[in-house]
Amino acid sequence: MTSHQAPITAPIQAPIPARTRIGAAVGLLLLSPICAEYLIGYDQIISNPLDMLTGLLVLGPLYGTVAVLIREAARRTGRGWPTMVLLSAAFGLIQAGVIDQSLFNPDFVDEASWDDDRLPTFVAGLGVSVKHVVGFVGGHVIWSFCAPIGVVESCVPRIADRPWLGRVGITVMIVLYGLGALVIFKEHSKQFLATPAQFGTVGLFALGLAVAAFAMPRRFSRREAEGRAGGRVPPPWAVGCGAVVLMGAHQLSSPGWGGVALNVAALVLAGGALLWWPGRPAWGPAHVLAVCGAALVVNAALSFVVEPLGDTSPVVKYGANAVLMIVVLLLLGWARRRLRHIIVRPLEGAHLS
């Protein structure tokens, strides 16, 4: 480089206003437990809106903090969805195998439907139902963590790939998660406690998933993506329709081994597509929103045919289902509008990146 040449520097990103970052994190903190526990309406709490609101004081720390921390870990290390999916699976195992122990507790739900769902694929030597392992962990990956992350990031597309929290914010999330997990663990351990071997096995698998998450390569740059063979991907609407079919198959699979096989096939097919397509230049934020939005729509729609546990008021139940469906559609519509706004009016200086 000669003396008169200007040095080549990395693009400078504009600072993110604190209210924008914190607002996005709080949005994810709330959307995650709503998607995890309320959207499909399986619990009798669906008939008591006030209890649903107060329940967020525990469920927010239990689910929302994890979603925020998973996203922060991936974005801060320059990684993307493969890392977030693997971390979600790790936390899903911890949630179902350690915190609430639903994987191992034969009386976790005092309903005949619990055994109807659990026993056909129960493996006595492991003390778990394969149907529950696939359903619980897959459910946490999709609805507790990844879908809320994708939807909230779509609502703030200018900062979707940037960290939202500093050290103080991350510390607050960790403390809140610890408190929420402790409350749930103590509550569910009053009548049942998994064995040390079960806890240890879950811990080892979760650790393996976490290690694999950070062993994943970093995201493709635009140049690398353009260099990959073939650049065509289905349009967002087609991706969303495919996601509805596969997630619907996951949720509606039968309790037996055939249902488990269908469930696993749907998850593998979805996972394979989502590992391959994002490396192509035609894949964009609208595709991510289509997949994550489809997850919300599937559970919101199924809530109308799901019978809640315990005694519920049909009027309040269907009213809550309808309100949640409307909120989901409004949220997805707003997120899509935000994405269009960014595409039409790109961020100033975006040509430098």
Side-chain angles (χ1 to χ4, degrees):
M1 183 176 70
T2 60
S3 59
H4 65 275
Q5 288 177 316
I8 299 175
T9 58
I12 300 175
Q13 293 181 311
I16 310 170
R19 66 178 182 276
T20 302
R21 294 185 290 105
I22 294 173
V26 171
L28 181 53
L29 186 70
L30 296 175
L31 183 61
S32 173
I34 291 172
C35 292
E37 294 290 340
Y38 295 164
L39 206 56
I40 200 168
Y42 76 94
D43 197 282
Q44 62 182 359
I45 198 175
I46 197 71
S47 66
N48 194 325
L50 182 59
D51 284 351
M52 292 174 67
L53 290 174
T54 56
L56 292 177
L57 295 176
V58 174
L59 297 177
L62 185 64
Y63 293 109
T65 57
V66 175
V68 172
L69 290 170
I70 287 172
R71 187 203 166 276
E72 286 294 307
R75 297 312 186 194
R76 284 179 173 275
T77 57
R79 292 175 171 87
W81 285 103
T83 293
M84 288 193 277
V85 168
L86 289 172
L87 287 177
S88 296
F91 275 105
L93 266 177
I94 294 296
Q95 170 69 22
V98 176
I99 296 174
D100 66 24
Q101 302 166 70
S102 55
L103 278 183
F104 305 115
N105 188 350
D107 301 312
F108 185 77
V109 175
D110 188 19
E111 294 279 348
S113 59
W114 179 257
D115 280 343
D116 292 341
D117 201 52
R118 182 179 71 94
L119 292 179
T121 58
F122 183 73
V123 180
L126 301 176
V128 297
S129 164
V130 177
K131 161 76 171 176
H132 279 180
V133 172
V134 176
F136 292 172
V137 177
H140 282 308
V141 170
I142 298 169
W143 285 279
S144 299
F145 307 129
C146 288
I149 289 172
V151 170
V152 174
E153 283 193 341
S154 298
C155 293
V156 287
R158 294 181 187 273
I159 60 171
D161 61 350
R162 297 171 66 179
W164 293 344
L165 299 179
R167 292 181 180 178
V168 173
I170 291 174
T171 301
V172 169
M173 291 294 135
I174 293 173
V175 171
L176 286 176
Y177 174 64
L179 292 174
L182 181 61
V183 168
I184 298 299
F185 176 79
K186 292 185 68 174
E187 179 64 26
H188 286 285
S189 298
K190 291 177 180 178
Q191 303 296 329
F192 175 87
L193 189 65
T195 66
Q198 289 171 330
F199 283 139
T201 301
V202 169
L204 286 175
F205 274 102
L207 179 61
L209 288 167
V211 171
F214 290 104
M216 298 295 291
R218 299 178 189 274
R219 291 172 304 201
F220 288 107
S221 68
R222 175 60 62 180
R223 181 174 297 178
E224 290 171 331
E226 290 175 349
R228 296 191 71 184
R232 296 178 64 84
V233 298
W237 68 264
V239 171
C241 290
V244 166
V245 172
L246 293 176
M247 291 182 203
H250 167 79
Q251 291 291 62
L252 297 173
S253 60
S254 62
W257 288 105
V260 168
L262 174 63
N263 199 331
V264 171
L267 292 176
V268 169
L269 182 59
L274 294 177
L275 280 173
W276 179 246
W277 284 334
R280 298 183 174 186
W283 183 271
H287 292 88
V288 175
L289 177 60
V291 174
C292 297
L296 271 61
V297 170
V298 165
N299 270 11
L302 288 176
S303 69
F304 289 94
V305 296
V306 167
E307 184 177 349
L309 301 170
D311 295 326
T312 59
S313 164
V315 174
V316 179
K317 168 205 157 30
Y318 288 116
N321 296 154
V323 168
L324 286 171
M325 174 61 89
I326 292 171
V327 170
V328 163
L329 295 177
L330 290 175
L331 177 62
L332 297 181
W334 184 59
R336 188 69 183 98
R337 182 178 179 183
R338 295 279 293 171
L339 290 180
R340 287 198 187 100
H341 180 73
I342 293 300
I343 294 171
V344 173
R345 298 178 60 185
L347 183 63
E348 184 178 357
H351 63 281
L352 296 175
S353 59

